[in-house]
Structure formats: structure tokens, C-alpha cells
Amino acid sequence: MEIQLSTRRADATPYASSLIEGLRDFGYSIETALADIIDNSITAEATRVELIADSTGAEPWIAVVDNGKGMTEADLIEAMRPGSRNPLDLRQETDLGRFGLGMKSASFSQCRALYVVSRRDGKTSCAAWDLDEVSKVNKWELALFDEPNFPAMDYLDGDGTAVIWQKLDRLDGGFKQNTEERTKTINTALAWAEKHLRLVFHRFLEGSKPRLVISINGRSLRPIDPFASNNAARQLDPAEELKLSKGTIQIQCVTLPHLKKMTKSEWDEVGGVEGHLKSQGLYIYRADRLIIAGSWLGLAKASELTKLCRVCVDIPNSMDADWKIDVKKASAQLPPVVRKRLRLVVERFVGTSKRTYRRRGRKLVEEQHTPMWNRVQKDSSIIFKPNILHPVFEEFQETLTPDQVKAFLNCLTLLGASLPVETLYADMMGAEDAVKVEDVDRDALHQQIAAMITDLLEKKIPSENIPNILKNVDILHRNWETAHEIIKEILDGGLL
């Protein structure tokens, strides 16, 4: 039996002054806010985006100017409407928008006055939201201008749009009366944002003829490719596809080149601000725009053994609701069917990487002829201890009395027991490229080489094979030019 209930209705239109202030706190940072504005430029088919900032003036401002197709006044008014689009509507594959909130919420997160100037077919339109004015009148009323005049408009050459931020209350650092400190704060924020934009839009910026050129105060940005695509030493797993009802997901596992296969600047750039340990994991792209940059999203645990592992995942914008793409387009959640497939992919990929790293670590020790350090597997533990049978140690012991030999071996034992494992691990995780070994002088190299050559000759190793054997010794390999000279002197001159 259906019960009929009488219905009454009441007007619950949100207060403009309250709601528009709430749009400021969606969690945008300066970099995600600028990226959201550039998304609109890409949707408008722009090939050039110029970010102009005046951080030194009495009233600093930031503008994002593109050469897209521009808007009529009617289009502009609609674009300035909060929630101008239904996120469930179908969109073109290249459309980077979703909620119709991005430009407004991104802008309000950084400023209190948003001006948008757009030109289409030679006709210029301008509209503005000033939060101070909205707070006074408490109405959803845009300000429209017939003859706008902003410095940023000088960059509008033909059709296009300029998004201008004024009253930068979230960017001035509270230094309104201190121009120098305020300028420093704004410039620091822009420098941080630059790296983010180079990464997020790297696919658009790549190539000799990029789809998009982004510049900051006249300086073009270079892309940061998180997969080091131009480095021949990277390893690619076969690409995979996951076909679903709303589109196809592309999956590609990539192992980055080792530190020794890259320049320091390349290594630092690919590792990002937080380093390689924090940058491993999934890189999720939506219509070629990076959404997630480095996270396993619960599919694996970040570790030193997997820090070179990255998984490229491409999703179409038709899956936004399934992936729960947020307003900022900076976070997502894995749909259950995708999580199940990716878990299998990641488990296989991560397992292979860990085995490769472990084999590599053992190989570095086992390939060396009588290494300085022995790697000992004891139960579930791994112990490194000085190799007391190394020729240079044995040769030195022959010059000692029995009591001195005992004291010397005690010193080696203490050295091994005092290996700063925790400190080494922390430093390697934080900045592997910064951890170096101490330089060794020629006399010390000569002592080690002489002892090892004596040992090899006593074992009937042909003298012509000795240089290749010694080159596998890590300390000699690192100092090979000097070591090779010493080896040649000893073998050719009979200096033993």
C-alpha cells in the first residue's frame, strides 16, 4: 500500500556571500590552481599559454593568458557561473573539465578578485567576481565591463582568454606592508608551481613541435618526463589494456634507469622534490594530463627496492565518476575492477624489481675477487663484515707479532660490528646520489693492488688476465685510471 504524503516546499537558495567564500577552501595549492586554469585553455584548443606575474607592484597580480578560441559575452557569463556544467554530461575526449567549478574555485583559492577577459571574432568581453562586493550585496551578480583595460591584455593577440587574479590575499604571505618579503613569497610559490606544471602537462610540452607552449614571464617551460623516455637504459614491460564498458585503460610498467645511467640533473628532476622513494608507484593520466604522480594507492608498499618502479595508467575522461576524480583533478580512487587488475600487475612488477635489486646487490659482492667486505646470510638477516682473508689484510698481518695480529683482527671485528646500518639506510633513502665513498690516495691503492697481484700470481692466474680481474674490484674500478697505471708498473717492472 502506497502512502501519499503532502508536500510543501521552501526556498533554500544558498547565500551568495557564504557559498562563494566556501569555494575558496577546496584544498587548492598555487600549483593545482594554475593547472586547473590551464586545463580550460587546453579545452579551448589553445597552443600557447602565458603566465604573467607582477609581484613587485603595490597591487600584485597574476594572469594566465591563452590563444584559445575565446568566448562571447554569453559564453563568458556561463563560464563564470559556479557549477556551470553537469559532471555527468558527455564531453569530448580532449575536454579536461568536469564540474564547471574549476576556474572559479581555483581562482578564489588564491585571490579575492577574479577578472576574465575573453576575445572571440574580434569582440572583447569581460566579467569579474569580487568577493568583497559579493559579501556586501549577498547576490550572485557578476560585474561586466564594456572597455576593460588590464596590463595582461597586451598578451591577447587575436582570439583568446586572460584569467586575471587580483587581491592575492592567499599568496602575499601576510606581508602586505613589506613589499620585499611579499615579492619573495609570491616568487617562491611560482617557482614551486613551475615544477608542477612541467610535470603535469609534460605530454603536451614534449616534442620538437609541442601541442602546447607554456611560459612564465616570457620563459618557456621544459617538460619533466617521469618515465625518462629519452634514456635508452630504462626498461619497459609489455603494455596492457583493460577494456571496460566506459572505455579502455592503458597500463605500462616502467623501470627507471639506475642512478649511474643518468646525469645528476636528470636523476634529481625525475625524482621530484621528495626524491625517488616518494615518487615510485602509479602515474595516472586523464586525457594526457597527469592526475596522480607517484603513489601505490594501497597496492604495494614503497621501499628502497622498488623506488625505480613506475606504472603509467591512462584513463579516458568518461570514467571520471568511477575513479572519483576530484574538483582539483589532483586525486582519484581505483574502481574495484581496476584495483583487482592493477594489483596483479603491480605484484608481478614489484616482485621482479625486488629480485633484480637483490641479485644486483649479491652480484656486486660475488663478482669481486676477494672483496673487502663479505656479505653473510644468517637466518633471515644479512650481515656485512670485513673479509679478514683479503690479501691486503693477510699481507699486513705477516708484518705483525702474534699479539699484534690478535689486536688487528679485533679492530676489524669492531669495524664490522660498528657499521652504521641505520644511518646508511636513512641517507640512501633520502638522497642516494649524495652518499659517496671517501677518495683514496695512490699509496693506499698501490698497497692493495700489490697484495692482490701477489695473491693472484700465487694462484697461477696468468698476468695478462690480472687487469680485467682487478677492474671488477669496486674501489679500483672507481679509480681505474690511477689503478691501471699501478697495475702496469707492477706487472711490467717486476716491482713485487
Side-chain angles (χ1 to χ4, degrees), residues 358-382:
R358 290 189 177 114
R359 284 198 302 269
R360 186 176 185 275
R362 286 195 292 268
K363 185 179 179 183
L364 287 175
V365 175
E366 293 166 358
E367 274 191 350
Q368 293 191 27
H369 177 80
T370 53
M372 280 281 189
W373 290 86
N374 278 335
R375 181 181 186 276
V376 180
Q377 187 88 33
K378 186 176 181 181
D379 298 328
S380 59
S381 301
I382 298 170

Side-chain angles (χ1 to χ4, degrees), residues 419-430:
L419 188 68
V421 175
E422 293 84 0
T423 303
L424 279 171
Y425 179 71
D427 288 341
M428 291 292 285
M429 284 200 303

